[in-house]
Amino acid sequence: MSEKNIISYIEIDDPTNQTNHAVEVYVTLTDGSKRWCFFHSPETIKNCGDFLKNTNIRIHYGAKHMFVVSELSQSVIRQTLNQLDQAGEIVECTIDIK
């Protein structure tokens, strides 16, 4: 577990415009570093991912920076990230962008 309560700013792509793709989120931490993650709804996740060989079935694996939520809104995204921040898990669940 890492430090807690280190988010200083959250920038969210407009989730209302994302009906077929993920919503990208940029997080700025109190030390000035920037991190990235993305959110999907069950509907949007159908449109991405790798295909299982010789099928039309999508697979998603190993991405700690991908979140699937049943409601895709700015409020839900912020609540999710703040909960992770309070638990000291925001660094582990986002990717460093330099």
Side-chain angles (χ1 to χ4, degrees):
M1 217 183 294
S2 297
E3 292 181 66
K4 298 179 181 183
N5 302 314
I6 58 172
I7 291 177
S8 68
Y9 183 74
I10 299 171
E11 178 185 342
I12 303 170
D13 283 353
D14 186 357
T16 59
N17 290 335
Q18 302 299 327
T19 56
N20 293 317
H21 303 287
V23 174
E24 293 189 88
V25 179
Y26 299 90
V27 178
T28 303
L29 303 182
T30 54
D31 67 0
S33 64
K34 299 195 183 282
R35 310 209 43 100
W36 175 81
C37 61
F38 61 96
F39 282 74
H40 275 290
S41 68
E43 294 78 28
T44 62
I45 203 164
K46 295 175 191 175
N47 300 313
C48 67
D50 298 324
F51 287 104
L52 288 175
K53 189 174 182 177
N54 301 319
T55 75
N56 290 329
I57 298 169
R58 301 277 192 168
I59 183 171
H60 306 273
Y61 56 91
K64 291 181 87 175
H65 59 283
M66 179 181 81
F67 301 91
V68 180
V69 291
S70 59
E71 177 186 318
L72 196 50
S73 67
Q74 285 202 16
S75 175
V76 169
I77 291 168
R78 288 182 190 284
Q79 286 177 310
T80 301
L81 294 175
N82 286 324
Q83 183 171 315
L84 290 168
D85 190 20
Q86 290 172 5
E89 298 174 353
I90 195 66
V91 171
E92 290 82 8
C93 295
T94 55
I95 294 177
D96 184 36
I97 54 174
K98 296 182 182 190

